[in-house]
Amino acid sequence: AQTVTQSQPEMSVQEAETVTLSCTYDTSESNYYLFWYKQPPSRQMILVIRQEAYKQQNATENRFSVNFQKAAKSFSLKISDSQLGDTAMYFCAFRGGSEKLVFGKGTKLTVNP
Amino acid sequence: NAGVTQTPKFRILKIGQSMTLQCAQDMNHNYMYWYRQDPGMGLKLIYYSVGAGITDKGEVPNGYNVSRSTTEDFPLRLELAAPSQTSVYFCASNRNTGELFFGEGSRLTVL
């Protein structure tokens, strides 16, 4: 079974600085998707960024980018120019061929003014 | 577009009561899922469905039942509610492109 590990339960960053959230996963599959979801205090799950495993280029969405290392099974999220609105829980997730999305336990990110 | 709609948003149950959490999506997605999120934790898969008439168990199916009679609806049934089922429940759907679309969640308390 696939597993997703987020080793940082909590992190904090100063506004306008850069922070990186870590995620590792375990799978024997070669084709899969990886995601980062954001959950603000409103509880809504919001997709931040996605990466297809067959693509070598790292995904980027505005201030959010990933460092995808397929051989190392690592998928970190970098947030540049952090904003107060980035304060949230961040979940890394994996989806292989089984149609199921497996989530990590999350990292609570606090952006300080 | 409504997306994924869950009802109710909040509910308090007594031990032993039963209830159904409703989930509907209007995006014609084949896949639908129910997750639970306990305080400070990630999401755990309860049940999922790859199409009408097809359901399968996830990580934590005990105490729950589902049905998928239409593409749009995927209700989650709790029989004989227990305090361990106090949680926030999320319904989600997608096509086979990977990204999940989530409902706003249903907070259930069992006393």
Side-chain angles (χ1 to χ4, degrees):
Chain A
Q2 288 88 1
T3 58
V4 177
T5 302
Q6 293 179 248
S7 59
Q8 306 151 315
E10 293 191 39
M11 293 192 72
S12 62
V13 64
Q14 291 300 120
E15 194 175 7
E17 293 187 346
T18 296
V19 64
T20 299
L21 309 183
S22 301
C23 173
T24 59
Y25 57 94
D26 186 25
T27 184
S28 58
E29 299 184 47
S30 57
N31 294 320
Y32 49 85
Y33 297 89
L34 294 162
F35 307 87
W36 279 99
Y37 278 88
K38 169 185 177 182
Q39 188 180 42
S42 67
R43 227 172 51 202
Q44 180 71 29
M45 294 290 287
I46 302 166
L47 179 68
V48 174
I49 200 164
R50 61 178 277 172
Q51 174 82 41
E52 291 89 346
Y54 66 86
K55 291 185 177 179
Q56 293 184 340
Q57 187 173 7
N58 289 325
T60 300
E61 287 287 342
N62 300 316
R63 298 182 294 107
F64 299 88
S65 61
V66 297
N67 183 4
F68 173 48
Q69 301 290 328
K70 190 172 184 179
K73 297 180 183 176
S74 171
F75 183 60
S76 61
L77 174 70
K78 185 171 82 171
I79 306 175
S80 304
D81 186 25
S82 297
Q83 301 176 358
L84 297 178
D86 295 334
T87 293
M89 285 288 291
Y90 286 81
F91 293 98
C92 179
F94 170 98
R95 185 185 186 226
S98 69
E99 297 95 27
K100 293 183 287 188
L101 199 66
V102 178
F103 286 85
K105 292 186 177 181
T107 296
K108 182 179 180 181
L109 176 66
T110 302
V111 180
N112 298 309
Chain B
N1 291 335
V4 179
T5 303
Q6 290 181 234
T7 56
K9 288 186 169 50
F10 302 93
R11 182 73 185 269
I12 299 174
L13 283 180
K14 294 182 179 179
I15 294 173
Q17 287 185 322
S18 299
M19 75 160 296
T20 299
L21 296 175
Q22 301 291 343
C23 177
Q25 54 90 11
D26 61 359
M27 297 172 282
N28 200 31
H29 286 168
N30 287 339
Y31 304 106
M32 295 189 75
Y33 308 80
W34 274 106
Y35 287 89
R36 61 177 286 173
Q37 183 180 28
D38 298 328
M41 301 293 288
L43 280 74
K44 294 184 178 179
L45 183 63
I46 305 171
Y47 270 96
Y48 68 105
S49 169
V50 301
I54 305 169
T55 62
D56 208 347
K57 296 178 180 179
E59 301 172 73
V60 290
N62 291 343
Y64 306 95
N65 280 300
V66 294
S67 59
R68 184 91 182 273
S69 57
T70 67
T71 299
E72 294 78 19
D73 300 301
F74 190 43
L76 177 71
R77 177 81 176 165
L78 281 74
E79 304 282 2
L80 298 175
S84 61
Q85 293 178 305
T86 293
S87 192
V88 178
Y89 292 82
F90 286 95
C91 180
S93 73
N94 69 341
R95 291 193 183 92
N96 60 354
T97 57
E99 175 189 354
L100 256 62
F101 293 82
F102 284 86
E104 294 183 348
S106 299
R107 182 180 294 277
L108 175 67
T109 302
V110 182
L111 301 174

PDB file of all heavy atoms in Angstrom, chain B residues 52-85:
ATOM      1  N   ALA B  52     -21.570   4.383 -10.868  1.00  0.00           N
ATOM      2  CA  ALA B  52     -22.864   3.976 -10.334  1.00  0.00           C
ATOM      3  C   ALA B  52     -22.923   2.459 -10.186  1.00  0.00           C
ATOM      4  O   ALA B  52     -22.535   1.714 -11.090  1.00  0.00           O
ATOM      5  CB  ALA B  52     -23.986   4.479 -11.238  1.00  0.00           C
ATOM      6  N   GLY B  53     -23.373   2.024  -9.028  1.00  0.00           N
ATOM      7  CA  GLY B  53     -23.511   0.606  -8.748  1.00  0.00           C
ATOM      8  C   GLY B  53     -22.262  -0.078  -8.230  1.00  0.00           C
ATOM      9  O   GLY B  53     -22.291  -1.265  -7.899  1.00  0.00           O
ATOM     10  N   ILE B  54     -21.155   0.673  -8.112  1.00  0.00           N
ATOM     11  CA  ILE B  54     -19.878   0.089  -7.694  1.00  0.00           C
ATOM     12  C   ILE B  54     -19.332   0.860  -6.496  1.00  0.00           C
ATOM     13  O   ILE B  54     -19.149   2.080  -6.572  1.00  0.00           O
ATOM     14  CB  ILE B  54     -18.843   0.140  -8.827  1.00  0.00           C
ATOM     15  CG1 ILE B  54     -19.386  -0.524 -10.095  1.00  0.00           C
ATOM     16  CG2 ILE B  54     -17.547  -0.533  -8.385  1.00  0.00           C
ATOM     17  CD1 ILE B  54     -18.528  -0.290 -11.315  1.00  0.00           C
ATOM     18  N   THR B  55     -19.089   0.156  -5.393  1.00  0.00           N
ATOM     19  CA  THR B  55     -18.474   0.782  -4.224  1.00  0.00           C
ATOM     20  C   THR B  55     -17.391  -0.137  -3.676  1.00  0.00           C
ATOM     21  O   THR B  55     -17.418  -1.359  -3.915  1.00  0.00           O
ATOM     22  CB  THR B  55     -19.507   1.070  -3.118  1.00  0.00           C
ATOM     23  OG1 THR B  55     -20.072  -0.166  -2.672  1.00  0.00           O
ATOM     24  CG2 THR B  55     -20.607   1.981  -3.616  1.00  0.00           C
ATOM     25  N   ASP B  56     -16.465   0.443  -2.937  1.00  0.00           N
ATOM     26  CA  ASP B  56     -15.391  -0.355  -2.356  1.00  0.00           C
ATOM     27  C   ASP B  56     -14.925   0.294  -1.067  1.00  0.00           C
ATOM     28  O   ASP B  56     -15.075   1.511  -0.875  1.00  0.00           O
ATOM     29  CB  ASP B  56     -14.225  -0.489  -3.332  1.00  0.00           C
ATOM     30  CG  ASP B  56     -13.443  -1.776  -3.104  1.00  0.00           C
ATOM     31  OD1 ASP B  56     -13.643  -2.431  -2.050  1.00  0.00           O
ATOM     32  OD2 ASP B  56     -12.629  -2.134  -3.971  1.00  0.00           O
ATOM     33  N   LYS B  57     -14.360  -0.536  -0.180  1.00  0.00           N
ATOM     34  CA  LYS B  57     -13.914  -0.067   1.111  1.00  0.00           C
ATOM     35  C   LYS B  57     -12.576   0.662   1.002  1.00  0.00           C
ATOM     36  O   LYS B  57     -11.727   0.319   0.183  1.00  0.00           O
ATOM     37  CB  LYS B  57     -13.757  -1.256   2.071  1.00  0.00           C
ATOM     38  CG  LYS B  57     -15.062  -1.971   2.375  1.00  0.00           C
ATOM     39  CD  LYS B  57     -14.823  -3.159   3.282  1.00  0.00           C
ATOM     40  CE  LYS B  57     -16.139  -3.874   3.586  1.00  0.00           C
ATOM     41  NZ  LYS B  57     -15.925  -5.065   4.454  1.00  0.00           N
ATOM     42  N   GLY B  58     -12.418   1.653   1.896  1.00  0.00           N
ATOM     43  CA  GLY B  58     -11.143   2.324   2.034  1.00  0.00           C
ATOM     44  C   GLY B  58     -10.412   1.819   3.262  1.00  0.00           C
ATOM     45  O   GLY B  58     -10.510   0.652   3.639  1.00  0.00           O
ATOM     46  N   GLU B  59      -9.711   2.735   3.944  1.00  0.00           N
ATOM     47  CA  GLU B  59      -8.920   2.355   5.120  1.00  0.00           C
ATOM     48  C   GLU B  59      -9.765   2.078   6.358  1.00  0.00           C
ATOM     49  O   GLU B  59      -9.435   1.213   7.170  1.00  0.00           O
ATOM     50  CB  GLU B  59      -7.959   3.491   5.504  1.00  0.00           C
ATOM     51  CG  GLU B  59      -6.958   3.918   4.469  1.00  0.00           C
ATOM     52  CD  GLU B  59      -6.233   5.162   4.962  1.00  0.00           C
ATOM     53  OE1 GLU B  59      -5.397   5.029   5.877  1.00  0.00           O
ATOM     54  OE2 GLU B  59      -6.511   6.266   4.455  1.00  0.00           O
ATOM     55  N   VAL B  60     -10.856   2.854   6.549  1.00  0.00           N
ATOM     56  CA  VAL B  60     -11.607   2.817   7.805  1.00  0.00           C
ATOM     57  C   VAL B  60     -13.102   2.657   7.558  1.00  0.00           C
ATOM     58  O   VAL B  60     -13.902   3.517   7.903  1.00  0.00           O
ATOM     59  CB  VAL B  60     -11.304   4.086   8.651  1.00  0.00           C
ATOM     60  CG1 VAL B  60      -9.903   4.066   9.195  1.00  0.00           C
ATOM     61  CG2 VAL B  60     -11.546   5.355   7.826  1.00  0.00           C
ATOM     62  N   PRO B  61     -13.557   1.551   6.971  1.00  0.00           N
ATOM     63  CA  PRO B  61     -14.969   1.406   6.599  1.00  0.00           C
ATOM     64  C   PRO B  61     -15.900   0.953   7.724  1.00  0.00           C
ATOM     65  O   PRO B  61     -17.125   1.073   7.585  1.00  0.00           O
ATOM     66  CB  PRO B  61     -14.909   0.325   5.519  1.00  0.00           C
ATOM     67  CG  PRO B  61     -13.758  -0.537   5.945  1.00  0.00           C
ATOM     68  CD  PRO B  61     -12.741   0.427   6.535  1.00  0.00           C
ATOM     69  N   ASN B  62     -15.350   0.451   8.818  1.00  0.00           N
ATOM     70  CA  ASN B  62     -16.201  -0.141   9.852  1.00  0.00           C
ATOM     71  C   ASN B  62     -17.137   0.890  10.463  1.00  0.00           C
ATOM     72  O   ASN B  62     -16.715   1.967  10.868  1.00  0.00           O
ATOM     73  CB  ASN B  62     -15.341  -0.780  10.943  1.00  0.00           C
ATOM     74  CG  ASN B  62     -14.611  -2.007  10.437  1.00  0.00           C
ATOM     75  OD1 ASN B  62     -14.968  -2.568   9.397  1.00  0.00           O
ATOM     76  ND2 ASN B  62     -13.574  -2.411  11.141  1.00  0.00           N
ATOM     77  N   GLY B  63     -18.420   0.527  10.544  1.00  0.00           N
ATOM     78  CA  GLY B  63     -19.434   1.398  11.114  1.00  0.00           C
ATOM     79  C   GLY B  63     -20.134   2.271  10.089  1.00  0.00           C
ATOM     80  O   GLY B  63     -21.007   3.060  10.454  1.00  0.00           O
ATOM     81  N   TYR B  64     -19.769   2.108   8.819  1.00  0.00           N
ATOM     82  CA  TYR B  64     -20.338   2.930   7.745  1.00  0.00           C
ATOM     83  C   TYR B  64     -20.824   2.047   6.601  1.00  0.00           C
ATOM     84  O   TYR B  64     -20.336   0.939   6.411  1.00  0.00           O
ATOM     85  CB  TYR B  64     -19.281   3.887   7.179  1.00  0.00           C
ATOM     86  CG  TYR B  64     -18.591   4.753   8.198  1.00  0.00           C
ATOM     87  CD1 TYR B  64     -17.374   4.360   8.746  1.00  0.00           C
ATOM     88  CD2 TYR B  64     -19.138   5.965   8.590  1.00  0.00           C
ATOM     89  CE1 TYR B  64     -16.719   5.145   9.677  1.00  0.00           C
ATOM     90  CE2 TYR B  64     -18.487   6.765   9.515  1.00  0.00           C
ATOM     91  CZ  TYR B  64     -17.284   6.343  10.056  1.00  0.00           C
ATOM     92  OH  TYR B  64     -16.645   7.133  10.984  1.00  0.00           O
ATOM     93  N   ASN B  65     -21.769   2.592   5.847  1.00  0.00           N
ATOM     94  CA  ASN B  65     -22.211   1.962   4.613  1.00  0.00           C
ATOM     95  C   ASN B  65     -22.451   3.035   3.562  1.00  0.00           C
ATOM     96  O   ASN B  65     -22.763   4.190   3.897  1.00  0.00           O
ATOM     97  CB  ASN B  65     -23.504   1.167   4.817  1.00  0.00           C
ATOM     98  CG  ASN B  65     -23.229  -0.188   5.445  1.00  0.00           C
ATOM     99  OD1 ASN B  65     -22.510  -1.010   4.885  1.00  0.00           O
ATOM    100  ND2 ASN B  65     -23.784  -0.416   6.615  1.00  0.00           N
ATOM    101  N   VAL B  66     -22.296   2.656   2.300  1.00  0.00           N
ATOM    102  CA  VAL B  66     -22.530   3.593   1.209  1.00  0.00           C
ATOM    103  C   VAL B  66     -23.356   2.900   0.133  1.00  0.00           C
ATOM    104  O   VAL B  66     -23.474   1.664   0.099  1.00  0.00           O
ATOM    105  CB  VAL B  66     -21.224   4.117   0.588  1.00  0.00           C
ATOM    106  CG1 VAL B  66     -20.443   4.978   1.567  1.00  0.00           C
ATOM    107  CG2 VAL B  66     -20.372   2.952   0.077  1.00  0.00           C
ATOM    108  N   SER B  67     -23.889   3.727  -0.745  1.00  0.00           N
ATOM    109  CA  SER B  67     -24.553   3.230  -1.946  1.00  0.00           C
ATOM    110  C   SER B  67     -24.287   4.226  -3.062  1.00  0.00           C
ATOM    111  O   SER B  67     -24.008   5.405  -2.809  1.00  0.00           O
ATOM    112  CB  SER B  67     -26.052   3.060  -1.707  1.00  0.00           C
ATOM    113  OG  SER B  67     -26.641   4.294  -1.335  1.00  0.00           O
ATOM    114  N   ARG B  68     -24.366   3.778  -4.287  1.00  0.00           N
ATOM    115  CA  ARG B  68     -24.159   4.671  -5.433  1.00  0.00           C
ATOM    116  C   ARG B  68     -25.151   4.255  -6.527  1.00  0.00           C
ATOM    117  O   ARG B  68     -24.821   3.547  -7.464  1.00  0.00           O
ATOM    118  CB  ARG B  68     -22.707   4.538  -5.944  1.00  0.00           C
ATOM    119  CG  ARG B  68     -22.391   5.519  -7.071  1.00  0.00           C
ATOM    120  CD  ARG B  68     -21.834   6.790  -6.565  1.00  0.00           C
ATOM    121  NE  ARG B  68     -21.577   7.745  -7.638  1.00  0.00           N
ATOM    122  CZ  ARG B  68     -20.448   7.805  -8.344  1.00  0.00           C
ATOM    123  NH1 ARG B  68     -19.471   6.933  -8.119  1.00  0.00           N
ATOM    124  NH2 ARG B  68     -20.308   8.721  -9.264  1.00  0.00           N
ATOM    125  N   SER B  69     -26.373   4.712  -6.361  1.00  0.00           N
ATOM    126  CA  SER B  69     -27.422   4.346  -7.314  1.00  0.00           C
ATOM    127  C   SER B  69     -27.412   5.252  -8.542  1.00  0.00           C
ATOM    128  O   SER B  69     -27.917   4.869  -9.608  1.00  0.00           O
ATOM    129  CB  SER B  69     -28.801   4.383  -6.647  1.00  0.00           C
ATOM    130  OG  SER B  69     -29.031   5.666  -6.095  1.00  0.00           O
ATOM    131  N   THR B  70     -26.836   6.448  -8.414  1.00  0.00           N
ATOM    132  CA  THR B  70     -26.728   7.359  -9.550  1.00  0.00           C
ATOM    133  C   THR B  70     -25.305   7.901  -9.617  1.00  0.00           C
ATOM    134  O   THR B  70     -24.555   7.832  -8.647  1.00  0.00           O
ATOM    135  CB  THR B  70     -27.704   8.544  -9.435  1.00  0.00           C
ATOM    136  OG1 THR B  70     -27.296   9.355  -8.314  1.00  0.00           O
ATOM    137  CG2 THR B  70     -29.136   8.073  -9.241  1.00  0.00           C
ATOM    138  N   THR B  71     -24.955   8.488 -10.760  1.00  0.00           N
ATOM    139  CA  THR B  71     -23.638   9.107 -10.882  1.00  0.00           C
ATOM    140  C   THR B  71     -23.493  10.285  -9.934  1.00  0.00           C
ATOM    141  O   THR B  71     -22.421  10.544  -9.405  1.00  0.00           O
ATOM    142  CB  THR B  71     -23.409   9.584 -12.328  1.00  0.00           C
ATOM    143  OG1 THR B  71     -23.456   8.456 -13.201  1.00  0.00           O
ATOM    144  CG2 THR B  71     -22.067  10.286 -12.481  1.00  0.00           C
ATOM    145  N   GLU B  72     -24.604  10.998  -9.684  1.00  0.00           N
ATOM    146  CA  GLU B  72     -24.535  12.253  -8.937  1.00  0.00           C
ATOM    147  C   GLU B  72     -24.430  12.083  -7.431  1.00  0.00           C
ATOM    148  O   GLU B  72     -23.852  12.906  -6.743  1.00  0.00           O
ATOM    149  CB  GLU B  72     -25.778  13.102  -9.232  1.00  0.00           C
ATOM    150  CG  GLU B  72     -25.882  13.602 -10.670  1.00  0.00           C
ATOM    151  CD  GLU B  72     -26.362  12.528 -11.630  1.00  0.00           C
ATOM    152  OE1 GLU B  72     -26.954  11.511 -11.173  1.00  0.00           O
ATOM    153  OE2 GLU B  72     -26.127  12.679 -12.848  1.00  0.00           O
ATOM    154  N   ASP B  73     -25.020  11.029  -6.876  1.00  0.00           N
ATOM    155  CA  ASP B  73     -25.202  10.936  -5.424  1.00  0.00           C
ATOM    156  C   ASP B  73     -24.397   9.803  -4.800  1.00  0.00           C
ATOM    157  O   ASP B  73     -24.333   8.692  -5.341  1.00  0.00           O
ATOM    158  CB  ASP B  73     -26.688  10.750  -5.103  1.00  0.00           C
ATOM    159  CG  ASP B  73     -27.528  11.902  -5.608  1.00  0.00           C
ATOM    160  OD1 ASP B  73     -27.255  13.037  -5.176  1.00  0.00           O
ATOM    161  OD2 ASP B  73     -28.417  11.665  -6.443  1.00  0.00           O
ATOM    162  N   PHE B  74     -23.862  10.080  -3.614  1.00  0.00           N
ATOM    163  CA  PHE B  74     -23.051   9.082  -2.917  1.00  0.00           C
ATOM    164  C   PHE B  74     -23.255   9.262  -1.414  1.00  0.00           C
ATOM    165  O   PHE B  74     -22.412   9.815  -0.715  1.00  0.00           O
ATOM    166  CB  PHE B  74     -21.583   9.258  -3.297  1.00  0.00           C
ATOM    167  CG  PHE B  74     -20.671   8.156  -2.844  1.00  0.00           C
ATOM    168  CD1 PHE B  74     -21.031   6.821  -2.952  1.00  0.00           C
ATOM    169  CD2 PHE B  74     -19.415   8.451  -2.335  1.00  0.00           C
ATOM    170  CE1 PHE B  74     -20.186   5.797  -2.568  1.00  0.00           C
ATOM    171  CE2 PHE B  74     -18.539   7.443  -1.950  1.00  0.00           C
ATOM    172  CZ  PHE B  74     -18.936   6.119  -2.056  1.00  0.00           C
ATOM    173  N   PRO B  75     -24.383   8.810  -0.873  1.00  0.00           N
ATOM    174  CA  PRO B  75     -24.666   8.992   0.554  1.00  0.00           C
ATOM    175  C   PRO B  75     -23.849   8.049   1.435  1.00  0.00           C
ATOM    176  O   PRO B  75     -23.565   6.907   1.054  1.00  0.00           O
ATOM    177  CB  PRO B  75     -26.159   8.683   0.654  1.00  0.00           C
ATOM    178  CG  PRO B  75     -26.444   7.786  -0.520  1.00  0.00           C
ATOM    179  CD  PRO B  75     -25.500   8.215  -1.605  1.00  0.00           C
ATOM    180  N   LEU B  76     -23.518   8.546   2.625  1.00  0.00           N
ATOM    181  CA  LEU B  76     -22.771   7.771   3.630  1.00  0.00           C
ATOM    182  C   LEU B  76     -23.688   7.534   4.812  1.00  0.00           C
ATOM    183  O   LEU B  76     -24.184   8.475   5.427  1.00  0.00           O
ATOM    184  CB  LEU B  76     -21.533   8.533   4.082  1.00  0.00           C
ATOM    185  CG  LEU B  76     -20.692   7.865   5.176  1.00  0.00           C
ATOM    186  CD1 LEU B  76     -19.958   6.648   4.624  1.00  0.00           C
ATOM    187  CD2 LEU B  76     -19.685   8.864   5.762  1.00  0.00           C
ATOM    188  N   ARG B  77     -23.889   6.289   5.156  1.00  0.00           N
ATOM    189  CA  ARG B  77     -24.796   5.903   6.233  1.00  0.00           C
ATOM    190  C   ARG B  77     -23.993   5.496   7.461  1.00  0.00           C
ATOM    191  O   ARG B  77     -23.070   4.677   7.365  1.00  0.00           O
ATOM    192  CB  ARG B  77     -25.673   4.739   5.772  1.00  0.00           C
ATOM    193  CG  ARG B  77     -26.630   4.194   6.823  1.00  0.00           C
ATOM    194  CD  ARG B  77     -27.856   5.032   6.914  1.00  0.00           C
ATOM    195  NE  ARG B  77     -28.829   4.459   7.864  1.00  0.00           N
ATOM    196  CZ  ARG B  77     -29.861   5.146   8.350  1.00  0.00           C
ATOM    197  NH1 ARG B  77     -30.057   6.418   7.993  1.00  0.00           N
ATOM    198  NH2 ARG B  77     -30.705   4.567   9.187  1.00  0.00           N
ATOM    199  N   LEU B  78     -24.351   6.097   8.604  1.00  0.00           N
ATOM    200  CA  LEU B  78     -23.777   5.697   9.885  1.00  0.00           C
ATOM    201  C   LEU B  78     -24.836   4.927  10.657  1.00  0.00           C
ATOM    202  O   LEU B  78     -25.923   5.446  10.925  1.00  0.00           O
ATOM    203  CB  LEU B  78     -23.361   6.903  10.720  1.00  0.00           C
ATOM    204  CG  LEU B  78     -22.049   7.586  10.383  1.00  0.00           C
ATOM    205  CD1 LEU B  78     -22.182   8.403   9.108  1.00  0.00           C
ATOM    206  CD2 LEU B  78     -21.618   8.479  11.529  1.00  0.00           C
ATOM    207  N   GLU B  79     -24.552   3.700  10.978  1.00  0.00           N
ATOM    208  CA  GLU B  79     -25.462   2.880  11.776  1.00  0.00           C
ATOM    209  C   GLU B  79     -24.912   2.796  13.196  1.00  0.00           C
ATOM    210  O   GLU B  79     -23.715   2.598  13.386  1.00  0.00           O
ATOM    211  CB  GLU B  79     -25.549   1.469  11.197  1.00  0.00           C
ATOM    212  CG  GLU B  79     -25.957   1.409   9.742  1.00  0.00           C
ATOM    213  CD  GLU B  79     -27.443   1.597   9.519  1.00  0.00           C
ATOM    214  OE1 GLU B  79     -28.178   1.814  10.508  1.00  0.00           O
ATOM    215  OE2 GLU B  79     -27.866   1.525   8.357  1.00  0.00           O
ATOM    216  N   LEU B  80     -25.780   2.951  14.181  1.00  0.00           N
ATOM    217  CA  LEU B  80     -25.379   2.790  15.590  1.00  0.00           C
ATOM    218  C   LEU B  80     -24.166   3.673  15.905  1.00  0.00           C
ATOM    219  O   LEU B  80     -23.066   3.185  16.169  1.00  0.00           O
ATOM    220  CB  LEU B  80     -25.050   1.326  15.891  1.00  0.00           C
ATOM    221  CG  LEU B  80     -26.208   0.341  15.705  1.00  0.00           C
ATOM    222  CD1 LEU B  80     -25.721  -1.086  15.921  1.00  0.00           C
ATOM    223  CD2 LEU B  80     -27.332   0.684  16.679  1.00  0.00           C
ATOM    224  N   ALA B  81     -24.378   4.989  15.839  1.00  0.00           N
ATOM    225  CA  ALA B  81     -23.290   5.947  16.008  1.00  0.00           C
ATOM    226  C   ALA B  81     -22.557   5.729  17.332  1.00  0.00           C
ATOM    227  O   ALA B  81     -23.164   5.454  18.381  1.00  0.00           O
ATOM    228  CB  ALA B  81     -23.829   7.360  15.934  1.00  0.00           C
ATOM    229  N   ALA B  82     -21.216   5.886  17.271  1.00  0.00           N
ATOM    230  CA  ALA B  82     -20.342   5.746  18.428  1.00  0.00           C
ATOM    231  C   ALA B  82     -19.493   7.008  18.567  1.00  0.00           C
ATOM    232  O   ALA B  82     -19.237   7.700  17.574  1.00  0.00           O
ATOM    233  CB  ALA B  82     -19.445   4.524  18.258  1.00  0.00           C
ATOM    234  N   PRO B  83     -19.022   7.314  19.796  1.00  0.00           N
ATOM    235  CA  PRO B  83     -18.186   8.513  19.982  1.00  0.00           C
ATOM    236  C   PRO B  83     -16.958   8.527  19.081  1.00  0.00           C
ATOM    237  O   PRO B  83     -16.497   9.601  18.680  1.00  0.00           O
ATOM    238  CB  PRO B  83     -17.794   8.428  21.460  1.00  0.00           C
ATOM    239  CG  PRO B  83     -18.927   7.698  22.103  1.00  0.00           C
ATOM    240  CD  PRO B  83     -19.351   6.671  21.085  1.00  0.00           C
ATOM    241  N   SER B  84     -16.446   7.355  18.707  1.00  0.00           N
ATOM    242  CA  SER B  84     -15.272   7.284  17.831  1.00  0.00           C
ATOM    243  C   SER B  84     -15.562   7.798  16.426  1.00  0.00           C
ATOM    244  O   SER B  84     -14.624   8.024  15.644  1.00  0.00           O
ATOM    245  CB  SER B  84     -14.761   5.836  17.741  1.00  0.00           C
ATOM    246  OG  SER B  84     -15.765   4.994  17.182  1.00  0.00           O
ATOM    247  N   GLN B  85     -16.833   7.982  16.101  1.00  0.00           N
ATOM    248  CA  GLN B  85     -17.191   8.502  14.787  1.00  0.00           C
ATOM    249  C   GLN B  85     -17.331  10.022  14.781  1.00  0.00           C
ATOM    250  O   GLN B  85     -17.668  10.609  13.746  1.00  0.00           O
ATOM    251  CB  GLN B  85     -18.478   7.842  14.297  1.00  0.00           C
ATOM    252  CG  GLN B  85     -18.302   6.362  14.006  1.00  0.00           C
ATOM    253  CD  GLN B  85     -19.584   5.691  13.562  1.00  0.00           C
ATOM    254  OE1 GLN B  85     -20.617   5.749  14.257  1.00  0.00           O
ATOM    255  NE2 GLN B  85     -19.550   5.053  12.409  1.00  0.00           N
TER     256      GLN B  85
END
